[in-house]
Amino acid sequence: MSNELKDNKVSKPKRKGSKITPLPITHHASQPLNVVLDTSLFVNPDVRTSLGSNPTEALETFLFLAAQIHVLEFYMPPSIFEELLHFVERDKIPAELLLILHQKPPKKHELKTPAFLLYELIEDIRERVNKGLRVAEKAVRSAESKKADEIIQDMRRKYREALREGIIDSKEDVDLLLLAMELDALLITADHGLIKWAEKLGIRWLFPEKFKEYLMSAIKRTELIKKSLAHEPVP
Amino acid sequence: MSNELKDNKVSKPKRKGSKITPLPITHHASQPLNVVLDTSLFVNPDVRTSLGSNPTEALETFLFLAAQIHVLEFYMPPSIFEELLHFVERDKIPAELLLILHQKPPKKHELKTPAFLLYELIEDIRERVNKGLRVAEKAVRSAESKKADEIIQDMRRKYREALREGIIDSKEDVDLLLLAMELDALLITADHGLIKWAEKLGIRWLFPEKFKEYLMSAIKRTELIKKSLAHEPVP
């Protein structure tokens, strides 16, 4: 190392004390993490089970847990909230819901998305449209031997699979993505299309089956903070 | 008016002379307008006719006219340029083309598009996907009376119409829109889907059938500027 470089070291600001004090845990608590939730967490049977045997139960469990959490703020776009209400017994859900789960639409006229995503979306759609046509062609060919009604039932399912699965295909999907972008939030959903797009947009996301675990550890952290606050001397 | 406000007037900078001199016409010429061209101008028979009876002739006419224009800069994304080359007799096209018609891809990783457009694109696709399914269903039903091959021919056409017309559906379309956005250019295309999206994005566009007229008046303006330059005293 040259002398010049050594001398440069001298100009660094000196620490005021020798002991390094860690940031108090309360510091984190002052900025809770935003979390955006999708209906699929309460409705999709594969994901919901840890919370309840039906959507209403799952939502009740969530509310019970969320009420004990001070380190997270839960959000849902109104369009998704409306969807959720179709699946639950409304009179069983406590009004607390409105306080715990904030409803907020994204600022869709202020937000911007990277232009290269347009290419990916359009390429994706193009491929799907072609797949849809193949499905339709097969159906027409099989109509020579089977009845039209049977074939159409089967074709509808296959066509929808080809064109919709793993893609963002609704206003509600866009709402979730943009709200998560706007709030720099964690997105929790069981929808693969949404997760794929969260990846593209740099939105953090959580494996949906970890949702309950995540809530449980948020409760633990809240309790830790409460304890540390109780022991702190009043200034 | 208060005295204070009156006094403020005094601090305004005074004009150096009493005569207002108009901006010299050459001033405009120093900043030519950017124009982004689509293949459809040379290929689409409804639009092309004023320029030539086939794509090669149309492109030759364009080059002849464009060479006389100094007030416009012509651009084309390379993807669109490649498309164009499929339609023309390459050995007939003068090499001047490369100088007159700049090839430039858009900066797709820097540009951003307004988020609300995602809603419109996805809503549009959703409707089209449903239309496509209706087309397929009709085809299956008609298969009871007609032959599969005939039906499929017809279905393909109808399906593509339902899913593709009036929509941006290719990488090339996105290239055109983004390049026009980036260069703040005038987009000239005969594609209705592109014009619809130019409207959404605030991109200026020209009725494609006015393309030749537009070139002719750009030639006139170039000549005017040349004359005014010739008469200007050398400083």
Side-chain angles (χ1 to χ4, degrees):
Chain A
M1 192 188 273
S2 76
N3 274 332
E4 209 178 73
L5 276 174
K6 268 186 204 159
D7 288 343
N8 271 348
K9 273 192 167 176
V10 181
S11 64
K12 270 193 184 172
K14 283 176 191 166
R15 288 218 181 101
K16 273 190 181 163
S18 58
K19 242 186 12 189
I20 296 165
T21 32
L23 275 180
I25 201 162
T26 51
H27 220 82
H28 294 284
S30 63
Q31 285 181 331
L33 177 67
N34 295 325
V35 179
V36 170
L37 303 179
D38 185 12
T39 339
S40 54
L41 296 173
F42 307 104
V43 173
N44 184 319
D46 297 334
V47 178
R48 183 223 305 146
T49 40
S50 66
L51 291 175
S53 60
N54 60 53
T56 308
E57 250 186 63
L59 187 58
E60 281 175 322
T61 310
F62 162 70
L63 288 177
F64 174 75
L65 298 175
Q68 305 168 54
I69 297 170
H70 298 171
V71 293
L72 304 174
E73 289 285 344
F74 299 98
Y75 285 89
M76 198 173 248
S79 61
I80 293 286
F81 190 75
E82 252 180 67
E83 238 181 47
L84 180 63
L85 290 185
H86 288 302
F87 290 98
V88 297
E89 297 163 72
R90 298 193 192 196
D91 43 317
K92 278 199 184 170
I93 306 298
E96 233 182 332
L97 172 65
L98 302 171
L99 252 177
I100 290 175
L101 191 55
H102 311 301
Q103 293 173 50
K104 185 192 168 328
K107 292 182 179 163
K108 50 175 91 66
H109 289 273
E110 290 175 26
L111 292 167
K112 299 207 159 203
T113 50
F116 80 91
L117 286 182
L118 268 187
Y119 290 91
E120 302 202 2
L121 184 60
I122 277 162
E123 206 50 44
D124 193 14
I125 290 162
R126 214 183 156 80
E127 274 169 36
R128 281 157 196 275
V129 164
N130 288 338
K131 265 193 214 163
L133 184 56
R134 297 288 100 76
V135 168
E137 285 174 7
K138 266 196 188 165
V140 170
R141 292 214 183 277
S142 66
E144 288 173 325
S145 55
K146 272 192 259 173
K147 277 206 172 167
D149 283 329
E150 279 173 57
I151 295 164
I152 285 175
Q153 281 297 333
D154 182 56
M155 183 184 69
R156 276 189 192 151
R157 191 181 47 77
K158 285 183 183 153
Y159 181 87
R160 292 218 170 94
E161 258 176 41
L163 273 112
R164 292 213 179 145
E165 240 159 64
I167 197 176
I168 47 163
D169 82 327
S170 68
K171 182 187 169 299
E172 289 75 18
D173 286 352
V174 185
D175 272 346
L176 280 167
L177 285 171
L178 295 183
L179 187 61
M181 242 177 85
E182 180 186 330
L183 301 175
D184 192 17
L186 174 75
L187 176 63
I188 317 187
T189 174
D191 184 313
H192 292 293
L194 281 169
I195 290 175
K196 215 175 79 183
W197 273 76
E199 274 285 332
K200 289 182 205 274
L201 287 163
I203 294 167
R204 38 191 150 175
W205 56 275
L206 185 79
F207 288 103
E209 59 274 21
K210 298 282 182 195
F211 182 41
K212 195 181 173 185
E213 265 178 69
Y214 184 71
L215 294 175
M216 297 308 288
S217 58
I219 292 178
K220 269 190 200 153
R221 164 160 288 230
T222 305
E223 278 165 9
L224 254 164
I225 290 168
K226 272 190 193 163
K227 269 185 206 160
S228 84
L229 273 175
H231 288 256
E232 226 169 56
V234 182
Chain B
M1 193 188 273
S2 77
N3 274 332
E4 209 178 74
L5 275 172
K6 269 187 202 161
D7 287 341
N8 271 347
K9 271 190 168 178
V10 181
S11 63
K12 269 192 185 174
K14 284 176 191 167
R15 286 220 182 100
K16 272 187 183 166
S18 60
K19 244 186 13 187
I20 296 165
T21 30
L23 274 179
I25 202 161
T26 50
H27 219 82
H28 294 286
S30 63
Q31 286 181 330
L33 177 68
N34 295 325
V35 179
V36 170
L37 303 180
D38 186 11
T39 340
S40 54
L41 295 174
F42 308 103
V43 174
N44 184 320
D46 298 333
V47 179
R48 183 224 305 145
T49 41
S50 65
L51 291 175
S53 61
N54 59 52
T56 308
E57 250 185 61
L59 187 57
E60 282 174 322
T61 311
F62 162 71
L63 288 176
F64 175 75
L65 298 175
Q68 306 168 54
I69 296 171
H70 298 172
V71 292
L72 304 175
E73 290 287 343
F74 298 98
Y75 285 89
M76 199 174 248
S79 62
I80 293 285
F81 190 75
E82 252 180 68
E83 239 180 48
L84 180 63
L85 290 184
H86 287 300
F87 290 98
V88 297
E89 297 164 72
R90 296 191 193 200
D91 43 316
K92 279 199 183 168
I93 305 298
E96 233 184 333
L97 172 66
L98 302 171
L99 252 177
I100 290 175
L101 190 54
H102 310 302
Q103 291 172 51
K104 184 192 170 328
K107 292 183 178 160
K108 51 175 90 65
H109 287 272
E110 289 175 28
L111 291 167
K112 299 208 159 203
T113 49
F116 79 88
L117 286 182
L118 269 186
Y119 290 92
E120 301 202 3
L121 185 61
I122 278 162
E123 206 51 42
D124 194 13
I125 291 161
R126 212 183 157 80
E127 273 170 36
R128 280 157 196 276
V129 163
N130 288 337
K131 267 193 212 162
L133 184 57
R134 296 290 100 76
V135 168
E137 285 174 7
K138 266 195 188 164
V140 170
R141 292 214 183 277
S142 66
E144 286 174 326
S145 54
K146 273 193 258 173
K147 276 206 172 169
D149 284 328
E150 280 175 56
I151 294 164
I152 285 175
Q153 281 298 332
D154 182 57
M155 182 184 71
R156 275 189 193 150
R157 190 180 49 74
K158 285 184 184 153
Y159 181 87
R160 291 218 171 93
E161 258 177 40
L163 273 113
R164 290 212 180 145
E165 241 159 62
I167 197 174
I168 49 164
D169 80 328
S170 68
K171 182 185 168 302
E172 290 76 17
D173 287 351
V174 185
D175 273 346
L176 280 168
L177 285 171
L178 295 184
L179 186 61
M181 241 177 86
E182 181 185 328
L183 301 175
D184 193 17
L186 174 76
L187 176 65
I188 317 189
T189 175
D191 184 313
H192 292 292
L194 281 170
I195 291 175
K196 214 175 79 184
W197 273 76
E199 274 284 332
K200 289 181 207 271
L201 287 162
I203 294 167
R204 38 189 152 180
W205 57 275
L206 186 80
F207 287 103
E209 59 274 20
K210 299 282 183 194
F211 183 41
K212 195 181 173 186
E213 264 179 67
Y214 185 71
L215 294 176
M216 297 309 287
S217 58
I219 292 178
K220 270 190 199 154
R221 164 161 288 229
T222 304
E223 280 164 8
L224 254 165
I225 290 170
K226 273 189 192 163
K227 269 185 206 160
S228 85
L229 273 175
H231 290 255
E232 226 169 57
V234 182

